[in-house]
Amino acid sequence: MEEESMEEEGGGGGGCEAMMDDQNHNNWGAGGYGRHLLGPAAAPLGDRLLCGAAGGLGPAVPPAAPQLPMAPEANGVLRSCDPGGTAGKGGAGAIAAAININASTSKFLMNVITIEDYKSTYWPKLDSAIDQLLTQSPGDYIPISYEQIYSCVYKCVCQQHSEQMYSDLIKKITNHLERVSKELQASPPDLYIERFNVALGQYMGALQSIVPLFIYMNKFYIETKLNRDLKDDLIKLFTDHVAEKHIYNLMPLLLEAQSTPFQITPSTMANIVKGLYTLRPEWVQMAPALFSKFIPNILPPAVESELQEYAAQDQKLQRELMQNGFTR
């Protein structure tokens, strides 16, 4: 009876065995990923075992030895599968218990994601998804599973691959932005402003998806160990590798476009000016009058001695509007 009890116990170890049939969680189409991952509590059971924190809220080093499974007695009272306990009364029962424990330990350890697993399986999936997000146009449908990517990041964080993943992410996006910068350099002046606006909007749109997908890495590595924020780091990448390299070519074109009404659309001008202010507020000093049209409280308060000058500027704008077909 003891042997039968232990065999039943070893074959029906809850959901663990079912969850561990793929030793590196690479079965992306498994039913377990059909659930919407709303947070740590919805993470697969294997992840919660590895993370170890209450509710799975934080990654932790896998425990030295898995918790021994429990088996129900006939009267519903749980007992431990300790070979030195009740199951250890008979020699055969003790051996069966030891075999089951060793098998459980092996299955637990098989869930470890090695650095080779990360490089060959996990990062390539993240790399492909990031590519699609960085190059999508507004309104495009991206054929990726956000649940899979979210889960992939979560597992890598739990397995202590956050540093490598952060390094790979920064390198990936830096290379992308350097290509964007080279494409802008090759743009003719009449297309330069529009193409910069597209590059800026496309990148900021991509961050709205990339940052949430890496939320666990941000929380448990970037904020905790680096004392920074992922979104701030990625915005700085665009500033350093694109905007800063083009600001001195872009600003004269923006001022010229401002002096020629409707050379570019007002929405394009507003997007670029507001974007530049977000990237680096001190760029306001390059063209205070331009920035003041879209950013409040840029210029000092009006003074009475300059009222005539303000009126002259308004009259000039009205004349320009009438010359372009607008009437009062």
Side-chain angles (χ1 to χ4, degrees):
M1 292 300 293
E2 293 291 350
E3 294 180 28
E4 293 177 0
S5 173
M6 294 311 300
E7 290 172 358
E8 291 175 0
E9 183 180 335
C16 290
E17 183 170 350
M19 291 298 295
M20 296 177 182
D21 57 344
D22 184 339
Q23 65 180 14
N24 289 317
H25 298 292
N26 296 327
N27 186 6
W28 300 101
Y33 295 108
R35 300 187 302 274
H36 181 62
L37 296 178
L38 296 177
L45 178 58
D47 289 338
R48 284 182 275 151
L49 285 173
L50 289 175
C51 286
L57 293 178
V61 179
Q67 186 177 4
L68 297 179
M70 307 293 289
E73 290 280 13
N75 60 4
V77 179
L78 294 178
R79 61 178 172 83
S80 172
C81 293
D82 185 354
T86 56
K89 292 181 179 179
I95 294 174
I99 291 174
N100 286 332
I101 291 172
N102 289 336
S104 176
T105 302
S106 298
K107 291 175 183 176
F108 180 87
L109 294 177
M110 285 170 65
N111 285 288
V112 174
I113 301 174
T114 65
I115 187 63
E116 290 77 14
D117 295 330
Y118 166 82
K119 291 180 178 180
S120 64
T121 302
Y122 288 84
W123 175 249
K125 294 180 183 296
L126 297 175
D127 184 275
S128 176
I130 295 167
D131 256 337
Q132 295 181 64
L133 292 171
L134 288 173
T135 57
Q136 68 177 333
S137 298
D140 280 357
Y141 169 74
I142 304 299
I144 64 174
S145 170
Y146 287 86
E147 290 181 341
Q148 289 180 7
I149 302 305
Y150 180 93
S151 180
C152 182
V153 172
Y154 177 84
K155 290 180 174 68
C156 291
V157 171
C158 288
Q159 294 280 334
Q160 311 300 318
H161 295 301
S162 295
E163 183 177 359
Q164 182 65 52
M165 186 164 52
Y166 175 74
S167 175
D168 290 338
L169 177 63
I170 296 300
K171 182 178 179 180
K172 170 74 178 178
I173 294 182
T174 297
N175 291 338
H176 167 77
L177 292 176
E178 288 178 348
R179 290 193 298 270
V180 170
S181 181
K182 291 180 180 179
E183 292 172 0
L184 284 174
Q185 288 175 351
S187 298
D190 58 328
L191 299 177
Y192 194 93
I193 294 178
E194 288 290 347
R195 290 184 178 178
F196 184 91
N197 182 53
V198 170
L200 176 62
Q202 190 176 49
Y203 185 75
M204 292 302 181
L207 294 192
Q208 294 181 10
S209 295
I210 293 175
V211 172
L213 287 175
F214 286 86
I215 187 172
Y216 274 99
M217 182 183 71
N218 187 46
K219 183 174 184 61
F220 295 110
Y221 176 70
I222 302 176
E223 291 183 355
T224 303
K225 295 188 177 181
L226 304 182
N227 296 318
R228 296 202 303 267
D229 178 78
L230 178 60
K231 184 177 181 180
D232 293 342
D233 284 0
L234 298 184
I235 288 177
K236 187 176 185 300
L237 286 182
F238 188 91
T239 304
D240 294 344
H241 296 281
V242 179
E244 194 172 56
K245 293 181 178 180
H246 294 271
I247 187 66
Y248 295 103
N249 292 329
L250 179 65
M251 193 58 68
L253 294 175
L254 290 175
L255 293 173
E256 180 183 350
Q258 181 195 20
S259 64
T260 308
F262 310 106
Q263 179 175 333
I264 63 174
T265 63
S267 61
T268 296
M269 180 70 79
N271 290 338
I272 293 178
V273 172
K274 291 179 180 178
L276 292 175
Y277 183 76
T278 299
L279 297 176
R280 187 163 292 176
E282 54 265 32
W283 281 338
V284 167
Q285 304 304 320
M286 298 179 67
L290 174 62
F291 279 85
S292 68
K293 294 181 181 297
F294 306 97
I295 309 296
N297 303 320
I298 292 297
L299 296 178
V303 294
E304 185 177 356
S305 60
E306 296 179 355
L307 288 179
Q308 291 184 351
E309 182 180 349
Y310 299 148
Q313 292 177 355
D314 289 341
Q315 291 174 1
K316 178 182 177 183
L317 177 60
Q318 291 175 10
R319 288 195 300 269
E320 292 173 346
L321 290 173
M322 294 176 64
Q323 291 172 0
N324 285 274
F326 287 82
T327 58
R328 296 191 178 188

Tab-separated table of all heavy atoms in Angstrom, residues 67-96:
chain	number	residue	atom	x	y	z
A	67	GLN	N	10.586	22.136	-2.282
A	67	GLN	CA	9.760	21.723	-1.162
A	67	GLN	C	9.182	20.347	-1.443
A	67	GLN	O	8.727	20.073	-2.545
A	67	GLN	CB	8.626	22.728	-0.962
A	67	GLN	CG	7.796	22.448	0.279
A	67	GLN	CD	6.740	23.513	0.463
A	67	GLN	OE1	6.618	24.389	-0.375
A	67	GLN	NE2	6.003	23.435	1.538
A	68	LEU	N	9.230	19.488	-0.445
A	68	LEU	CA	8.761	18.125	-0.654
A	68	LEU	C	7.267	18.132	-0.924
A	68	LEU	O	6.512	18.850	-0.284
A	68	LEU	CB	9.065	17.269	0.584
A	68	LEU	CG	10.543	17.092	0.902
A	68	LEU	CD1	10.697	16.254	2.160
A	68	LEU	CD2	11.277	16.452	-0.254
A	69	PRO	N	6.817	17.349	-1.942
A	69	PRO	CA	5.385	17.306	-2.222
A	69	PRO	C	4.631	16.667	-1.075
A	69	PRO	O	5.177	15.949	-0.259
A	69	PRO	CB	5.314	16.449	-3.492
A	69	PRO	CG	6.552	15.616	-3.464
A	69	PRO	CD	7.600	16.460	-2.797
A	70	MET	N	3.344	16.957	-1.020
A	70	MET	CA	2.481	16.433	0.021
A	70	MET	C	1.478	15.470	-0.592
A	70	MET	O	1.027	15.647	-1.716
A	70	MET	CB	1.717	17.580	0.709
A	70	MET	CG	2.625	18.702	1.229
A	70	MET	SD	3.697	18.191	2.576
A	70	MET	CE	2.492	17.998	3.881
A	71	ALA	N	1.127	14.441	0.146
A	71	ALA	CA	0.146	13.463	-0.330
A	71	ALA	C	-0.942	13.325	0.709
A	71	ALA	O	-0.678	13.336	1.907
A	71	ALA	CB	0.818	12.108	-0.564
A	72	PRO	N	-2.212	13.206	0.261
A	72	PRO	CA	-3.301	13.126	1.230
A	72	PRO	C	-3.418	11.752	1.859
A	72	PRO	O	-3.235	10.731	1.204
A	72	PRO	CB	-4.530	13.436	0.372
A	72	PRO	CG	-4.142	12.992	-1.000
A	72	PRO	CD	-2.671	13.214	-1.106
A	73	GLU	N	-3.697	11.738	3.147
A	73	GLU	CA	-4.039	10.494	3.822
A	73	GLU	C	-5.497	10.168	3.511
A	73	GLU	O	-6.222	10.963	2.901
A	73	GLU	CB	-3.866	10.672	5.340
A	73	GLU	CG	-2.408	10.808	5.777
A	73	GLU	CD	-1.689	9.471	5.874
A	73	GLU	OE1	-2.239	8.470	5.373
A	73	GLU	OE2	-0.591	9.437	6.436
A	74	ALA	N	-5.918	9.014	3.935
A	74	ALA	CA	-7.287	8.595	3.687
A	74	ALA	C	-8.279	9.529	4.372
A	74	ALA	O	-9.374	9.754	3.876
A	74	ALA	CB	-7.493	7.157	4.183
A	75	ASN	N	-7.902	10.092	5.508
A	75	ASN	CA	-8.819	10.955	6.241
A	75	ASN	C	-8.694	12.419	5.849
A	75	ASN	O	-9.254	13.295	6.493
A	75	ASN	CB	-8.591	10.817	7.752
A	75	ASN	CG	-7.163	11.199	8.144
A	75	ASN	OD1	-6.400	11.625	7.288
A	75	ASN	ND2	-6.834	11.032	9.413
A	76	GLY	N	-7.924	12.725	4.758
A	76	GLY	CA	-7.810	14.099	4.272
A	76	GLY	C	-6.690	14.880	4.903
A	76	GLY	O	-6.459	16.025	4.522
A	77	VAL	N	-5.944	14.344	5.870
A	77	VAL	CA	-4.840	15.054	6.501
A	77	VAL	C	-3.609	14.933	5.618
A	77	VAL	O	-3.279	13.846	5.156
A	77	VAL	CB	-4.547	14.487	7.901
A	77	VAL	CG1	-3.368	15.220	8.524
A	77	VAL	CG2	-5.795	14.601	8.774
A	78	LEU	N	-2.919	16.057	5.366
A	78	LEU	CA	-1.738	16.027	4.512
A	78	LEU	C	-0.544	15.500	5.287
A	78	LEU	O	-0.360	15.788	6.448
A	78	LEU	CB	-1.417	17.440	4.001
A	78	LEU	CG	-2.465	18.047	3.051
A	78	LEU	CD1	-2.041	19.464	2.681
A	78	LEU	CD2	-2.616	17.193	1.815
A	79	ARG	N	0.257	14.702	4.604
A	79	ARG	CA	1.499	14.223	5.210
A	79	ARG	C	2.635	14.452	4.231
A	79	ARG	O	2.446	14.496	3.011
A	79	ARG	CB	1.396	12.731	5.543
A	79	ARG	CG	1.169	11.826	4.328
A	79	ARG	CD	1.131	10.369	4.765
A	79	ARG	NE	0.732	9.483	3.693
A	79	ARG	CZ	1.542	9.010	2.765
A	79	ARG	NH1	2.801	9.396	2.765
A	79	ARG	NH2	1.106	8.204	1.822
A	80	SER	N	3.825	14.617	4.733
A	80	SER	CA	4.993	14.855	3.900
A	80	SER	C	5.484	13.551	3.301
A	80	SER	O	5.323	12.484	3.867
A	80	SER	CB	6.113	15.494	4.729
A	80	SER	OG	7.301	15.560	3.969
A	81	CYS	N	6.087	13.694	2.081
A	81	CYS	CA	6.668	12.518	1.442
A	81	CYS	C	8.103	12.332	1.892
A	81	CYS	O	8.995	12.046	1.096
A	81	CYS	CB	6.608	12.679	-0.085
A	81	CYS	SG	4.946	12.674	-0.736
A	82	ASP	N	8.354	12.561	3.146
A	82	ASP	CA	9.696	12.388	3.710
A	82	ASP	C	9.976	10.910	3.857
A	82	ASP	O	9.238	10.182	4.514
A	82	ASP	CB	9.755	13.085	5.066
A	82	ASP	CG	11.137	13.054	5.677
A	82	ASP	OD1	12.001	12.386	5.090
A	82	ASP	OD2	11.324	13.681	6.725
A	83	PRO	N	11.070	10.394	3.230
A	83	PRO	CA	11.352	8.967	3.354
A	83	PRO	C	11.599	8.530	4.787
A	83	PRO	O	11.503	7.357	5.105
A	83	PRO	CB	12.618	8.789	2.491
A	83	PRO	CG	13.226	10.153	2.394
A	83	PRO	CD	12.064	11.097	2.420
A	84	GLY	N	11.891	9.461	5.689
A	84	GLY	CA	12.119	9.106	7.079
A	84	GLY	C	10.849	9.131	7.894
A	84	GLY	O	10.865	8.851	9.086
A	85	GLY	N	9.716	9.479	7.262
A	85	GLY	CA	8.450	9.566	7.971
A	85	GLY	C	7.687	8.274	7.863
A	85	GLY	O	8.243	7.184	7.883
A	86	THR	N	6.352	8.409	7.695
A	86	THR	CA	5.521	7.207	7.669
A	86	THR	C	5.855	6.331	6.482
A	86	THR	O	5.755	5.105	6.559
A	86	THR	CB	4.049	7.620	7.619
A	86	THR	OG1	3.838	8.477	6.486
A	86	THR	CG2	3.659	8.355	8.888
A	87	ALA	N	6.237	6.943	5.369
A	87	ALA	CA	6.563	6.132	4.212
A	87	ALA	C	7.854	5.371	4.404
A	87	ALA	O	8.147	4.439	3.663
A	87	ALA	CB	6.677	7.009	2.961
A	88	GLY	N	8.657	5.780	5.386
A	88	GLY	CA	9.936	5.128	5.596
A	88	GLY	C	9.840	3.909	6.482
A	88	GLY	O	10.859	3.336	6.837
A	89	LYS	N	8.630	3.506	6.897
A	89	LYS	CA	8.511	2.358	7.781
A	89	LYS	C	8.899	1.081	7.062
A	89	LYS	O	9.395	0.161	7.673
A	89	LYS	CB	7.076	2.269	8.308
A	89	LYS	CG	6.729	3.426	9.244
A	89	LYS	CD	5.311	3.283	9.765
A	89	LYS	CE	4.977	4.428	10.721
A	89	LYS	NZ	3.594	4.336	11.229
A	90	GLY	N	8.653	1.002	5.765
A	90	GLY	CA	9.043	-0.182	5.013
A	90	GLY	C	10.206	0.135	4.112
A	90	GLY	O	10.312	1.244	3.589
A	91	GLY	N	11.094	-0.790	3.855
A	91	GLY	CA	12.255	-0.542	3.014
A	91	GLY	C	11.851	-0.176	1.601
A	91	GLY	O	12.384	0.751	1.000
A	92	ALA	N	10.878	-0.910	1.041
A	92	ALA	CA	10.444	-0.632	-0.326
A	92	ALA	C	9.810	0.742	-0.415
A	92	ALA	O	10.021	1.484	-1.377
A	92	ALA	CB	9.452	-1.708	-0.777
A	93	GLY	N	9.026	1.116	0.612
A	93	GLY	CA	8.393	2.437	0.610
A	93	GLY	C	9.416	3.542	0.669
A	93	GLY	O	9.273	4.582	0.016
A	94	ALA	N	10.461	3.358	1.475
A	94	ALA	CA	11.510	4.371	1.570
A	94	ALA	C	12.228	4.545	0.244
A	94	ALA	O	12.543	5.660	-0.174
A	94	ALA	CB	12.512	3.977	2.659
A	95	ILE	N	12.499	3.443	-0.442
A	95	ILE	CA	13.173	3.528	-1.747
A	95	ILE	C	12.302	4.244	-2.757
A	95	ILE	O	12.766	5.114	-3.506
A	95	ILE	CB	13.526	2.107	-2.249
A	95	ILE	CG1	14.577	1.478	-1.322
A	95	ILE	CG2	14.031	2.158	-3.681
A	95	ILE	CD1	14.884	0.040	-1.659
A	96	ALA	N	11.000	3.892	-2.762
A	96	ALA	CA	10.084	4.546	-3.696
A	96	ALA	C	10.015	6.037	-3.435
A	96	ALA	O	9.995	6.852	-4.356
A	96	ALA	CB	8.692	3.923	-3.586
